[in-house]
Amino acid sequence: MSSTSLTTGPSWARLPRRHVPVLATLALLLVMYAIGVSQYRAFSNVQVIFNVFIDNGFLLVVAVGMTFVILTGGIDLSVGSVVAMTAMVSAWLLQAGLPALLVLVIALLIGPTLGFLMGCAIHFFDIQPFIVTLAGMFFARGMCTFISDSSIRITDGFWTTMAQHRIGNPGGNFVSVSVLIAFAVVLVGAYVLAYTRLGRNVYAIGGNPQSALLMGLPVGRTRIAVYTISGLCSAIGGILLSFYTLSGAPLIGIGMELDVIAAVVIGGTVLTGGSGYVFGTVLGVLVLGVIQTLITFDGSLNSWWTKIVIGGLLFAFILLQRLIGIRYK
Amino acid sequence: MSERIKPLLGHRLFWPIAVLVVMLAANTIYRPGFLSIEMNNGHLYGTPIDILRLSAPLILVALGMTLVISTGGIDLSVGSICAISGAIACLHISEAADQNSFVTVSTALAMALGVALVLGAWNGVLVSVIGIQPIIATLILMVAGRGLAQLITEGQIITINSGPYRAIGLGHFLTLPLAIFIALGAALLVAAFTRRTALGMIIESVGGNREASRLAGIRSGRIVFLVYVASAACAAIAGFMMTANVSSADGNAAGLWVELDAILAVVIGGTALAGGRFYLSGTILGALIIQTLTTTVYAMNISPQTALLFKAVVVIAVCLIQAPAFRAKFNRRKRGTPPPPASSPQRQKEEVTA
């Protein structure tokens, strides 16, 4: 595959092209962090970094699922709505008095089921992923308000414990339980992509679906699997978000799918599929998180600058991918 | 099935029209006064008129989207462009000494339209010159555009009190809402350019095979560039209507999700997402169907958000009907009987709710 080709130049400077976007993201992250530290004294506090993880844990989980989908050359627009629906269903069932564990299981089943159905529609009926997941997005968002027009508070003991439990030295720096769950998902995702047959198939399909099919790889099963995985990740993300906000709100997570896609792309995954890493996605989410933190620290800039900066970065990274010429249609 | 009905059933506009008629009929049964129109102060009022008026922005956006999709592209940034153009126009008017002045309003419109054309050109350059996938190229402006719109309005909702501007959304002309005429005018203009000149065929040929068209002597790049500019211009006018309807500009909410409705309208109208063919009349019908669906859902006292649930059903149903793979599977099951032009809507609903 051409993605493994080397750049020209002296041997010490040779760098696989596919690593360039990830390294660029890493450099960007370091530069942004350095800017933050040089501008604001409190920025060097370790808790600032922990907070980025605490505030973006759910985004990280969802982005891992999206990485799978984008690596096969697909796209999943339903993630934001599935996150909202999971949080909403959990809040609703808890309010109805169901035991926490049962609610957890039910909430975690809905996302993958929807993902599985969407994957089937994409594979068996050959409809564009973009349109199918768009319908999924409408469906999940509609379900949210179907359950309730207003947000539902969660008062369940398990949920509040998960939300308030701090892991770390007392009085010092801490992370939330969500961060650990997010890390676990990242590790599992990275392992599956790098070391399992499913992971190989994902890359192969993204590289060239036709060849993958001719090689006898289970293209259909893999494609359905990635949408199911994305649905599962969105469901976990929804649970984490409900830990974070202790409520289910019908309008939460609007536009999240775009943040997630942006994070995956900024993390160096090529949108036509076949090239990218979960590690890159982690960096992409961190970049978005640090932008938000910088803007919060500044105080004079408003939150809409986040969107403009994310749009600008998205552009820069797509241009970069295009310029270094990793296979792009 | 009689031989005479067959070609009628096979007509590509048959299913959209049938859906629209069924929806209107169901509404009339549910609410007998649904179709009544009355004259009041020299203006016509009634639910059908409301549907036409409210669908005008969607028709405009969907017209531009039809052209983009027929080249095999997609424009996700139209919602943001609606918000930006509305914000610029309202900001300029709100700062003027006399908000009712015709000159102020036309300057505001010209400025906003100019900015929209620049944004369309940006999309066009990304797609045609740099060669970025359309869905991603326009995603950039979709994300950043919302931010820009909020930057222009400074996160506030700009309220204006301008008669001429309000007329774009709520004015009347020949007893009918002006918005209908604007949408109709735009539709006729696009139709004239694409169906009375060779432009439409050139667009379809670029959508069919860009490289082959280029080799055949068509400036493919320029055509692709132009459709994004046209789409942005349509979105800008739609943005004026949306903000004029409520006499205020909200960078956050104006045109939210209109891109999805527009894509839906285009797909319902029979234009394939892969490009190569487009049907303007189908798109307009699609937009009317979506607006009728929205109005119906509102009339049933269901919240606007839940309307999305119904839209999801429609999207899947339409896509399945269009999908050759689905038709083939369905036809195989019914071997022996003549193949139906499309499957019954009942089946696809099961697909969604299953």
Side-chain angles (χ1 to χ4, degrees):
Chain A
M1 242 177 285
S2 63
S3 56
T4 52
S5 65
L6 302 175
T7 46
T8 51
S11 59
W12 54 266
R14 266 186 206 161
L15 194 70
R17 279 189 181 184
R18 59 198 175 126
H19 289 154
V20 172
V22 181
L23 291 175
T25 310
L26 187 63
L28 176 76
L29 190 61
L30 294 177
V31 167
M32 285 194 331
Y33 187 69
I35 292 173
V37 172
S38 67
Q39 296 286 313
Y40 315 104
R41 212 150 41 117
F43 209 89
S44 55
N45 195 329
V46 185
Q47 190 59 41
V48 170
I49 301 177
F50 285 171
N51 282 343
V52 170
F53 280 107
I54 293 173
D55 296 340
N56 295 290
F58 62 96
L59 200 65
L60 190 55
V61 173
V62 179
V64 169
M66 183 70 89
T67 311
F68 276 79
V69 175
I70 291 183
L71 276 175
T72 63
I75 203 148
D76 188 351
L77 294 182
S78 70
V79 290
S81 302
V82 174
V83 164
M85 183 172 72
T86 311
M88 200 70 199
V89 167
S90 315
W92 178 55
L93 291 179
L94 287 171
Q95 199 187 35
L98 262 66
L101 203 65
L102 185 66
V103 172
L104 211 56
V105 172
I106 296 174
L108 284 179
L109 276 177
I110 299 174
T113 312
L114 187 65
F116 176 77
L117 290 176
M118 292 192 297
C120 287
I122 291 164
H123 175 64
F124 290 117
F125 302 127
D126 207 19
I127 310 175
Q128 292 200 359
F130 169 70
I131 283 291
V132 175
T133 55
L134 177 66
M137 168 183 168
F138 280 162
F139 178 80
R141 186 62 70 182
M143 280 308 285
C144 287
T145 29
F146 188 70
I147 292 170
S148 169
D149 280 339
S150 52
S151 68
I152 305 173
R153 277 187 57 216
I154 298 177
T155 48
D156 178 79
F158 176 71
W159 250 259
T160 44
T161 318
M162 291 299 263
Q164 284 151 6
H165 189 66
R166 293 176 167 198
I167 299 166
N169 45 335
N173 301 316
F174 66 94
V175 292
S176 62
V177 183
S178 303
V179 176
L180 297 186
I181 298 175
F183 273 138
V185 172
V186 167
L187 289 179
V188 171
Y191 174 80
V192 169
L193 267 184
Y195 299 111
T196 66
R197 197 176 293 172
L198 176 70
R200 294 287 101 193
N201 291 346
V202 167
Y203 280 106
I205 291 173
N208 190 338
Q210 217 68 45
S211 325
L213 196 65
L214 292 174
M215 275 161 68
L217 298 180
V219 173
R221 219 191 313 150
T222 311
R223 282 179 87 188
I224 295 172
V226 294
Y227 289 97
T228 314
I229 290 171
S230 175
L232 177 64
C233 287
S234 306
I236 300 174
I239 297 284
L240 295 190
L241 187 64
S242 67
F243 287 162
Y244 184 70
T245 60
L246 277 183
S247 68
L251 291 181
I252 207 161
I254 287 181
M256 188 197 281
E257 52 282 340
L258 303 172
D259 283 347
V260 173
I261 295 170
V264 174
V265 172
I266 291 171
T269 301
V270 182
L271 269 155
T272 42
S275 170
Y277 305 97
V278 170
F279 177 62
T281 300
V282 177
L283 291 181
V285 172
L286 284 180
V287 166
L288 299 194
V290 172
I291 292 172
Q292 232 138 23
T293 313
L294 275 174
I295 285 169
T296 317
F297 265 74
D298 182 273
S300 70
L301 292 173
N302 284 300
S303 64
W304 52 79
W305 277 104
T306 322
K307 288 177 188 162
I308 298 176
V309 176
I310 292 174
L313 282 178
L314 195 58
F315 172 63
F317 276 84
I318 288 167
L319 208 59
L320 176 77
Q321 290 180 357
R322 183 98 188 109
L323 286 178
I324 59 172
I326 1 177
R327 47 173 306 295
Y328 224 117
K329 262 181 252 164
Chain B
M1 198 183 298
S2 111
E3 287 301 313
R4 211 175 282 174
I5 299 177
K6 252 188 191 170
L8 185 68
L9 280 176
H11 193 271
R12 59 183 173 76
L13 286 184
F14 174 78
W15 286 107
I17 290 176
V19 169
L20 191 59
V21 168
V22 167
M23 253 196 251
L24 293 176
N27 266 302
T28 318
I29 294 166
Y30 180 73
R31 221 158 33 112
F34 182 79
L35 283 177
S36 67
I37 297 172
E38 58 186 53
M39 191 72 132
N40 204 344
N41 290 337
H43 304 322
L44 288 173
Y45 285 97
T47 320
I49 306 286
D50 277 344
I51 291 176
L52 283 176
R53 182 174 68 81
L54 292 171
S55 62
L58 182 56
I59 290 176
L60 276 167
V61 176
L63 279 176
M65 189 69 83
T66 310
L67 296 182
V68 172
I69 288 181
S70 61
T71 63
I74 204 145
D75 189 351
L76 296 182
S77 66
V78 284
S80 294
I81 293 177
C82 287
I84 292 172
S85 65
I88 293 176
C90 287
L91 182 69
H92 183 79
I93 293 172
S94 72
E95 281 170 349
D98 178 16
Q99 297 198 357
N100 284 316
S101 140
F102 189 73
V103 180
T104 309
V105 173
S106 37
T107 325
L109 295 185
M111 271 171 48
L113 194 62
V115 171
L117 291 178
V118 171
L119 294 175
W122 158 267
N123 278 336
V125 166
L126 289 191
V127 176
S128 70
V129 180
I130 307 181
I132 300 174
Q133 277 178 303
I135 183 174
I136 304 309
T138 53
L139 180 68
I140 296 170
L141 193 53
M142 183 187 186
V143 178
R146 284 270 156 222
L148 282 175
Q150 281 172 307
L151 188 68
I152 294 164
T153 62
E154 290 177 337
Q156 309 286 313
I157 295 176
I158 300 180
T159 314
I160 54 167
N161 185 13
S162 162
Y165 192 72
R166 190 166 53 228
I168 299 172
L170 298 170
H172 282 77
F173 179 70
L174 291 177
T175 76
L176 284 171
L178 188 60
I180 298 176
F181 288 98
I182 297 175
L184 194 68
L188 289 177
L189 196 68
V190 174
F193 266 107
T194 54
R195 297 306 188 202
R196 292 287 158 222
T197 70
L199 188 64
M201 204 181 63
I202 292 174
I203 289 175
E204 291 186 335
S205 106
V206 171
N209 189 333
R210 191 171 161 190
E211 192 55 23
S213 313
R214 194 186 62 79
L215 293 173
I218 295 171
R219 294 180 196 272
S220 297
R222 195 178 290 181
I223 296 293
V224 170
F225 175 82
L226 279 178
V227 294
Y228 285 93
V229 176
S231 171
C234 288
I237 300 171
F240 299 151
M241 270 182 204
M242 291 170 187
T243 46
N245 264 337
V246 288
S247 278
S248 63
D250 179 355
N252 217 0
L256 194 64
W257 285 345
V258 74
E259 59 278 342
L260 304 176
D261 277 350
I263 294 166
L264 186 53
V266 174
V267 175
I268 291 177
T271 301
L273 274 168
R277 278 280 175 284
F278 69 93
Y279 305 106
L280 294 172
S281 50
T283 295
I284 294 170
L285 259 178
L288 288 175
I289 288 176
I290 292 171
Q291 189 54 51
T292 310
L293 182 68
T294 313
T295 307
T296 308
V297 172
Y298 288 179
M300 289 160 78
N301 264 335
I302 298 173
S303 81
Q305 294 292 325
T306 315
L308 290 172
L309 209 60
F310 295 87
K311 280 184 193 166
V313 175
V314 175
V315 180
I316 283 296
V318 167
C319 285
L320 284 181
I321 292 174
Q322 281 196 356
F326 181 79
R327 283 189 177 193
K329 278 196 174 72
F330 192 74
N331 287 345
R332 214 180 304 140
R333 239 167 258 162
K334 289 191 71 173
R335 197 174 298 169
T337 58
S343 38
S344 69
Q346 250 69 41
R347 259 200 62 79
Q348 290 94 40
K349 277 187 186 155
E350 284 167 23
E351 290 289 335
V352 173
T353 48

